[in-house]
Amino acid sequence: PLDFETKKAYTFKVEASNLHLDHRFHSAGPFKDTATVKISVLDVDEPPVFSKPLYTMEVYEDTPVGTIIGAVTAQDLDVGSSAV
């Protein structure tokens, strides 16, 4: 699969040839040609990836507003695996 963060462009050559030649034109040439194809991979804004698939946190009903009850971590793969 294409991945902008891994490789941003691909270059390759293709060759096309006429397999059904008219014998009247054999002396006209090789009846094939090549072309260089360049593909630029565009970036897609991918969502962050959490370190676990599920988090469970319990909070007492009388916990004061503003109390930190837990933390989760994720990585933003679009920005060189920076923390989110």
Side-chain angles (χ1 to χ4, degrees):
L2 299 175
D3 182 13
F4 178 83
E5 284 75 30
T6 304
K7 191 166 183 174
K8 294 172 179 43
Y10 294 84
T11 302
F12 56 92
K13 289 189 180 234
V14 294
E15 180 180 284
S17 60
N18 186 348
L19 299 178
H20 305 288
L21 299 178
D22 186 331
H23 297 291
R24 295 175 294 170
F25 302 107
H26 270 218
S27 63
F31 299 101
K32 65 180 181 179
D33 201 0
T34 60
T36 300
V37 177
K38 295 180 181 180
I39 297 176
S40 297
V41 180
L42 302 178
D43 194 14
V44 173
D45 190 19
E46 298 158 322
V49 177
F50 287 93
S51 57
K52 295 188 334 186
L54 176 68
Y55 295 88
T56 302
M57 296 176 196
E58 296 179 0
V59 182
Y60 291 110
E61 63 183 349
D62 61 349
T63 301
V65 173
T67 301
I68 297 174
I69 58 168
V72 298
T73 59
Q75 298 290 320
D76 183 356
L77 302 179
D78 285 327
V79 191
S81 298
S82 65
V84 177

